[in-house]
Amino acid sequence: ASLNDQVSENRQTVDTVWRSLSSPGGAGQFAEIGLENTLKSFGLQRDRDFVIQHTVDGEDGGGRLRPDAVVFLPGDTVLVIDSKASKFLLELAQAEEGEEQDQAYARLARSMANHLRSLTDKNYANAVAAYLREAGSQRSARRILTVMYLPNDGALEKLDRADPKVLRDAARAQI
């Protein structure tokens, strides 16, 4: 009876996680949690070495930008990280070989190419540099790098298989 109760509890937990990961917002939230945990695992301290979900004004009043993380590194280097997740990674895990899997890879490629286009349209580098100047921050930024964060190496491998062009485009855009 005790084992049956534990299995039932675990099933409910897995179902909750599954529902969360299968929605775009849920997948994104889990990726952001993973990003913050990764930064902490490197020994970085929140609000000292990095900030999460920090809003900056876009260039020339072009709206507000909200990267998932801004990391302050030695040598006046700043990493602006935009976490990208896709529910299509979950679809791939479920897909059977053949056409179903091919369609899931195509949806992943399309989704991530759109994410990359959106990211290249955002001028995080100039927005963060302007924010630091205007705030009179002790920190300056001689070098600002934009990073598209994927939740794990498996996601990167699946994206490479889905469409290697996306990774080449990211490199070309210096992301």
mmCIF file of all heavy atoms in Angstrom, residues 70-87:
data_model
loop_
_atom_site.group_PDB
_atom_site.id
_atom_site.type_symbol
_atom_site.label_atom_id
_atom_site.label_comp_id
_atom_site.label_asym_id
_atom_site.label_seq_id
_atom_site.Cartn_x
_atom_site.Cartn_y
_atom_site.Cartn_z
ATOM 1 N N VAL A 70 21.664 38.899 -17.109
ATOM 2 C CA VAL A 70 22.804 39.731 -17.474
ATOM 3 C C VAL A 70 23.902 39.347 -16.497
ATOM 4 O O VAL A 70 23.718 39.446 -15.286
ATOM 5 C CB VAL A 70 22.478 41.238 -17.373
ATOM 6 C CG1 VAL A 70 23.705 42.072 -17.714
ATOM 7 C CG2 VAL A 70 21.315 41.603 -18.290
ATOM 8 N N VAL A 71 25.024 38.874 -17.049
ATOM 9 C CA VAL A 71 26.122 38.373 -16.223
ATOM 10 C C VAL A 71 27.314 39.307 -16.373
ATOM 11 O O VAL A 71 27.724 39.633 -17.486
ATOM 12 C CB VAL A 71 26.541 36.942 -16.650
ATOM 13 C CG1 VAL A 71 27.632 36.401 -15.745
ATOM 14 C CG2 VAL A 71 25.336 36.012 -16.667
ATOM 15 N N PHE A 72 27.845 39.751 -15.222
ATOM 16 C CA PHE A 72 28.993 40.651 -15.212
ATOM 17 C C PHE A 72 30.247 39.818 -14.981
ATOM 18 O O PHE A 72 30.403 39.181 -13.942
ATOM 19 C CB PHE A 72 28.818 41.695 -14.105
ATOM 20 C CG PHE A 72 27.524 42.452 -14.232
ATOM 21 C CD1 PHE A 72 26.434 42.132 -13.440
ATOM 22 C CD2 PHE A 72 27.388 43.458 -15.182
ATOM 23 C CE1 PHE A 72 25.234 42.814 -13.575
ATOM 24 C CE2 PHE A 72 26.190 44.144 -15.323
ATOM 25 C CZ PHE A 72 25.112 43.814 -14.516
ATOM 26 N N LEU A 73 31.140 39.839 -15.965
ATOM 27 C CA LEU A 73 32.355 39.031 -15.920
ATOM 28 C C LEU A 73 33.587 39.918 -15.773
ATOM 29 O O LEU A 73 33.524 41.125 -16.033
ATOM 30 C CB LEU A 73 32.472 38.201 -17.204
ATOM 31 C CG LEU A 73 31.347 37.195 -17.452
ATOM 32 C CD1 LEU A 73 31.489 36.571 -18.826
ATOM 33 C CD2 LEU A 73 31.331 36.129 -16.374
ATOM 34 N N PRO A 74 34.705 39.324 -15.384
ATOM 35 C CA PRO A 74 35.944 40.113 -15.305
ATOM 36 C C PRO A 74 36.304 40.706 -16.665
ATOM 37 O O PRO A 74 35.848 40.238 -17.704
ATOM 38 C CB PRO A 74 36.984 39.075 -14.871
ATOM 39 C CG PRO A 74 36.215 37.971 -14.254
ATOM 40 C CD PRO A 74 34.891 37.941 -14.958
ATOM 41 N N GLY A 75 37.129 41.707 -16.635
ATOM 42 C CA GLY A 75 37.578 42.344 -17.878
ATOM 43 C C GLY A 75 36.493 43.193 -18.511
ATOM 44 O O GLY A 75 36.486 43.380 -19.723
ATOM 45 N N ASP A 76 35.562 43.688 -17.684
ATOM 46 C CA ASP A 76 34.484 44.541 -18.184
ATOM 47 C C ASP A 76 33.696 43.893 -19.322
ATOM 48 O O ASP A 76 33.321 44.534 -20.301
ATOM 49 C CB ASP A 76 35.032 45.906 -18.633
ATOM 50 C CG ASP A 76 35.640 46.678 -17.489
ATOM 51 O OD1 ASP A 76 35.167 46.507 -16.348
ATOM 52 O OD2 ASP A 76 36.594 47.443 -17.734
ATOM 53 N N THR A 77 33.477 42.595 -19.177
ATOM 54 C CA THR A 77 32.695 41.841 -20.148
ATOM 55 C C THR A 77 31.328 41.544 -19.552
ATOM 56 O O THR A 77 31.212 41.178 -18.391
ATOM 57 C CB THR A 77 33.409 40.524 -20.517
ATOM 58 O OG1 THR A 77 34.671 40.846 -21.108
ATOM 59 C CG2 THR A 77 32.598 39.708 -21.502
ATOM 60 N N VAL A 78 30.311 41.717 -20.358
ATOM 61 C CA VAL A 78 28.938 41.444 -19.928
ATOM 62 C C VAL A 78 28.332 40.427 -20.890
ATOM 63 O O VAL A 78 28.428 40.573 -22.107
ATOM 64 C CB VAL A 78 28.089 42.738 -19.927
ATOM 65 C CG1 VAL A 78 26.640 42.433 -19.576
ATOM 66 C CG2 VAL A 78 28.665 43.764 -18.969
ATOM 67 N N LEU A 79 27.718 39.394 -20.311
ATOM 68 C CA LEU A 79 26.961 38.417 -21.097
ATOM 69 C C LEU A 79 25.491 38.746 -20.950
ATOM 70 O O LEU A 79 24.984 38.838 -19.833
ATOM 71 C CB LEU A 79 27.168 36.990 -20.580
ATOM 72 C CG LEU A 79 28.483 36.299 -20.800
ATOM 73 C CD1 LEU A 79 28.419 34.888 -20.208
ATOM 74 C CD2 LEU A 79 28.823 36.227 -22.264
ATOM 75 N N VAL A 80 24.809 38.920 -22.053
ATOM 76 C CA VAL A 80 23.365 39.087 -22.045
ATOM 77 C C VAL A 80 22.795 37.765 -22.535
ATOM 78 O O VAL A 80 23.075 37.335 -23.651
ATOM 79 C CB VAL A 80 22.930 40.249 -22.965
ATOM 80 C CG1 VAL A 80 21.426 40.385 -22.969
ATOM 81 C CG2 VAL A 80 23.600 41.538 -22.543
ATOM 82 N N ILE A 81 22.032 37.108 -21.663
ATOM 83 C CA ILE A 81 21.553 35.764 -21.971
ATOM 84 C C ILE A 81 20.043 35.764 -22.144
ATOM 85 O O ILE A 81 19.306 36.238 -21.288
ATOM 86 C CB ILE A 81 21.941 34.770 -20.851
ATOM 87 C CG1 ILE A 81 23.461 34.787 -20.649
ATOM 88 C CG2 ILE A 81 21.451 33.367 -21.189
ATOM 89 C CD1 ILE A 81 23.932 33.940 -19.481
ATOM 90 N N ASP A 82 19.619 35.230 -23.273
ATOM 91 C CA ASP A 82 18.200 35.061 -23.555
ATOM 92 C C ASP A 82 17.947 33.563 -23.655
ATOM 93 O O ASP A 82 18.478 32.887 -24.526
ATOM 94 C CB ASP A 82 17.840 35.767 -24.866
ATOM 95 C CG ASP A 82 16.367 36.075 -24.972
ATOM 96 O OD1 ASP A 82 15.551 35.281 -24.464
ATOM 97 O OD2 ASP A 82 16.024 37.102 -25.571
ATOM 98 N N SER A 83 17.184 33.049 -22.716
ATOM 99 C CA SER A 83 16.911 31.621 -22.643
ATOM 100 C C SER A 83 15.831 31.251 -23.650
ATOM 101 O O SER A 83 14.791 31.895 -23.715
ATOM 102 C CB SER A 83 16.446 31.278 -21.221
ATOM 103 O OG SER A 83 16.148 29.916 -21.117
ATOM 104 N N LYS A 84 16.080 30.226 -24.428
ATOM 105 C CA LYS A 84 15.108 29.774 -25.419
ATOM 106 C C LYS A 84 14.835 28.294 -25.200
ATOM 107 O O LYS A 84 15.740 27.477 -25.131
ATOM 108 C CB LYS A 84 15.632 29.979 -26.847
ATOM 109 C CG LYS A 84 15.866 31.420 -27.209
ATOM 110 C CD LYS A 84 14.595 32.214 -27.137
ATOM 111 C CE LYS A 84 14.813 33.676 -27.466
ATOM 112 N NZ LYS A 84 13.679 34.501 -27.148
ATOM 113 N N ALA A 85 13.566 27.995 -25.082
ATOM 114 C CA ALA A 85 13.149 26.607 -24.930
ATOM 115 C C ALA A 85 12.038 26.360 -25.940
ATOM 116 O O ALA A 85 11.444 27.289 -26.465
ATOM 117 C CB ALA A 85 12.649 26.354 -23.517
ATOM 118 N N SER A 86 11.782 25.116 -26.202
ATOM 119 C CA SER A 86 10.746 24.798 -27.158
ATOM 120 C C SER A 86 10.014 23.542 -26.714
ATOM 121 O O SER A 86 10.640 22.531 -26.376
ATOM 122 C CB SER A 86 11.358 24.578 -28.544
ATOM 123 O OG SER A 86 10.364 24.191 -29.456
ATOM 124 N N LYS A 87 8.699 23.622 -26.739
ATOM 125 C CA LYS A 87 7.900 22.449 -26.415
ATOM 126 C C LYS A 87 8.118 21.357 -27.461
ATOM 127 O O LYS A 87 7.820 20.195 -27.225
ATOM 128 C CB LYS A 87 6.423 22.807 -26.309
ATOM 129 C CG LYS A 87 5.777 23.184 -27.621
ATOM 130 C CD LYS A 87 4.312 23.448 -27.460
ATOM 131 C CE LYS A 87 3.667 23.610 -28.822
ATOM 132 N NZ LYS A 87 2.242 23.403 -28.774
#
